[in-house]
């Protein structure tokens, strides 16, 4: 008798159905992962709107155990059945110039901006059900691990819902450290205290930043408290500050910030404020989640400002994020706040979005392979 898996399938805007799928016969270079937890990304809020019109299994922050694996897969990734792994969302081709240069997230097979042709875009959490073998998302009991999947080893000692924060943490590491270049003695302003912004605090502290400023809104009180626990030197309520630029210049002794990371999702005037507080001789402004703000180029002045549009995370950033979580020094219980079974996927997304009536205080939320 064929083995089966239950999964929460997105069938309409914010509407899920529990369905059963046969586990596939896998190739020698592929595997099947038994899910332990799947984190909910902020992008899942928009993704659950069913904007592409294709039924699919959501979830691209999966952590689980190798359930079945071909010999080539085991040799390639140095794993065996029972080992814990995590998958990035990207499933690149492995042969193009982007894959060969470690920029695999720009590969046409996985990049929504450049994918063309008759073959489907392969991306965990959004690939349609009609693409064999359907099990492309983490809101499920089992997942298919493609031969070109981006696989990471995860220590078995970490609680699964804590390990599932690896991907948003990697974004924070990439944006503050990789793109931002935060380093010893720097001042950094992180605009937005969500899970990715909090990870930026972790990276900035590890890099030795002298001033780590995090701003949010009044309803972000709990998140700003967690930012303090993680190493933020100053936290600000942007909607309560009369002049946030002046406040930050005062905090930095008039020198301004060497790095600004915008993860606001489109906060008003945030980019203009970033330019206003930029330090003269080093100022990397990382636009990870900025809105359609119009910039006055004359406001750049004579500062050494670099504006960078952030694009996902690198393999190295994911490895660093896993190390941060595995070290056991982070208050992960304050960050991984909620878990939900698959049958309550819509409620889980509402919690991440902070919608009225949703579970309060959510920061990082995971779906468990339970009905």
């Amino acid at each position: 008798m064929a083995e089966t898996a239950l999964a929460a399938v997105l069938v309409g805007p914010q509407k899920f159905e529990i369905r059963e799928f046969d586990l596939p016969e896998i190739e020698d270079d592929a595997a099947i992962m038994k899910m332990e937890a799947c984190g909910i990304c902020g992008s899942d809020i928009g993704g659950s709107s069913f904007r592409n019109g294709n039924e699919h299994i959501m979830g691209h922050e999966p952590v689980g155990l190798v359930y079945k694996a071909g010999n080539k897969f085991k040799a390639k990734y140095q794993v065996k059945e029972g080992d814990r792994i995590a998958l990035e969302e990207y499933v690149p081709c492995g042969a193009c110039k982007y894959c060969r240069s470690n920029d695999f997230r720009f590969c046409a097979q996985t990049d929504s901006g450049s994918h063309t042709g008759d073959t489907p875009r392969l991306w965990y959490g959004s690939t349609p059900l009609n693409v064999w073998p359907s099990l492309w998302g983490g809101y499920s009991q089992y997942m298919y691990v493609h031969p070109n999947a981006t696989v990471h080893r995860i220590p078995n000692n970490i609680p699964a819902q804590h390990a599932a924060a690896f991907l948003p943490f990697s974004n924070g590491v990439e944006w503050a450290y990789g793109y931002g270049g935060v380093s010893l003695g720097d001042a950094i302003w992180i605009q937005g205290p969500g899970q990715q912004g909090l990870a930026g605090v972790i990276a900035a502290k590890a890099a030795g930043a002298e001033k780590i400023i995090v701003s949010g809104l009044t309803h972000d009180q709990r998140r700003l408290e967690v930012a303090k626990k993680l190493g933020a030197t100053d936290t600000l309520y942007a909607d309560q500050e009369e002049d946030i630029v002046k406040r930050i210049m005062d905090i930095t002794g008039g020198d301004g910030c060497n790095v600004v990371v915008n993860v606001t999702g489109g906060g008003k005037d945030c980019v203009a404020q970033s330019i206003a507080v930029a330090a003269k001789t080093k100022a990397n402004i990382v636009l990870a989640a900025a809105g359609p703000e119009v910039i006055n180029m004359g406001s750049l002045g004579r500062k050494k400002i670099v504006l960078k549009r952030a694009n996902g995370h690198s393999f190295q950033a994911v490895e660093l994020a896993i190390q941060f979580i595995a070290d056991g020094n982070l208050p992960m219980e304050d960050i991984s706040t909620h878990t939900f079974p698959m049958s309550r996927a819509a409620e889980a997304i509402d919690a991440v979005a902070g919608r009225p009536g949703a579970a309060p205080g959510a920061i990082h939320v995971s779906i468990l392979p339970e009905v």
Side-chain angles (χ1 to χ4, degrees):
M1 181 178 293
E3 294 182 90
T4 61
L6 296 177
V9 179
L10 183 70
V11 297
Q14 285 82 47
K15 183 179 179 182
F16 293 86
E17 289 182 0
I18 300 296
R19 294 184 186 173
E20 189 173 32
F21 299 87
D22 290 334
L23 295 190
E25 294 295 327
I26 56 170
E27 310 93 322
D28 197 40
D29 53 358
I32 294 174
M33 178 168 70
K34 183 177 183 180
M35 289 298 304
E36 292 184 292
C38 183
I40 296 180
C41 178
S43 68
D44 285 355
I45 299 170
S48 65
S49 67
F50 204 61
R51 56 193 172 203
N52 295 327
N54 295 313
E55 293 185 349
H56 61 279
I57 303 168
M58 292 183 63
H60 60 265
E61 299 179 1
V63 171
L65 305 176
V66 177
Y67 180 65
K68 290 182 180 179
N71 289 329
K72 288 184 179 179
F73 182 91
K74 294 177 185 177
K76 180 179 180 179
Y77 295 109
Q78 293 295 292
V79 296
K80 62 184 183 300
E81 279 90 355
D83 285 346
R84 178 184 272 174
I85 60 173
L87 307 182
E88 295 184 38
E89 64 269 48
Y90 315 116
V91 184
C93 74
C96 70
K97 64 180 181 180
Y98 299 109
C99 291
R100 297 289 184 179
S101 63
N102 200 35
D103 277 327
F104 56 85
R105 61 187 182 273
F106 298 106
C107 169
Q109 179 169 282
T110 195
D111 182 17
S112 60
S114 61
H115 180 265
T116 59
D118 297 328
T119 57
R121 170 184 178 240
L122 298 182
W123 179 290
Y124 283 109
S126 61
T127 300
L129 287 185
N130 59 13
V131 178
W132 183 91
S134 300
L135 297 171
W136 292 96
Y139 297 5
S140 179
Q141 293 177 327
Y142 292 86
M143 278 183 65
Y144 171 64
V145 186
H146 188 280
N148 288 346
T150 309
V151 178
H152 296 265
R153 291 286 302 273
I154 299 278
N156 288 333
N157 64 307
I158 310 170
Q161 66 269 30
H162 294 178
F166 75 98
L167 214 51
F169 273 34
S170 72
N171 285 339
V173 170
E174 181 77 0
W175 301 340
Y177 180 70
Y179 283 94
V182 65
S183 60
L184 189 67
D186 277 351
I188 179 173
W189 178 16
I190 298 171
Q191 299 171 320
Q195 49 192 309
Q196 295 162 338
L198 293 176
V201 175
I202 296 168
K205 181 181 179 182
E210 181 178 349
K211 292 290 184 182
I212 304 173
I213 306 162
V214 183
S215 62
L217 302 176
T218 302
H219 64 255
D220 291 320
Q221 179 182 352
R222 178 58 185 153
R223 296 182 178 194
L224 292 173
E225 290 171 356
V226 174
K228 279 280 195 179
K229 284 188 177 183
L230 294 173
T233 58
D234 300 89
T235 56
L236 305 174
Y237 293 102
D239 54 350
Q240 296 181 16
E241 291 289 336
E242 183 177 344
D243 188 341
I244 197 167
V245 170
K246 182 180 184 303
R247 183 86 167 86
I248 289 176
M249 294 304 290
D250 288 344
I251 291 171
T252 59
D255 291 333
C257 295
N258 309 108
V259 182
V260 181
V261 179
N262 184 318
V263 280
T264 61
K268 186 177 182 294
D269 297 328
C270 286
V271 181
Q273 292 166 351
S274 301
I275 293 170
V277 304
K280 292 180 180 179
T281 58
K282 174 195 171 183
N284 293 327
I285 298 174
V286 183
L287 307 178
E293 188 175 335
V294 177
I295 302 302
N296 176 7
M297 297 305 293
S299 67
L300 298 177
R302 297 182 66 245
K303 300 175 180 179
K304 290 185 176 179
I305 292 177
V306 179
L307 295 173
K308 298 185 178 183
R309 174 68 172 91
N311 294 280
H313 44 261
S314 63
F315 188 91
Q316 180 190 26
V318 176
E319 287 290 304
L320 288 171
I322 292 169
Q323 289 178 32
F324 280 130
I325 298 171
D327 284 345
N329 297 321
L330 300 177
M332 290 303 299
E333 64 281 355
D334 292 322
I335 300 169
S336 297
T337 55
H338 295 70
T339 60
F340 289 84
M342 295 184 301
S343 57
R344 295 172 61 194
E347 292 178 56
I349 292 173
D350 285 346
V352 175
R355 291 173 177 146
I363 298 180
H364 186 262
V365 178
S366 293
I367 295 288
L368 302 182
E370 305 168 354
V371 178

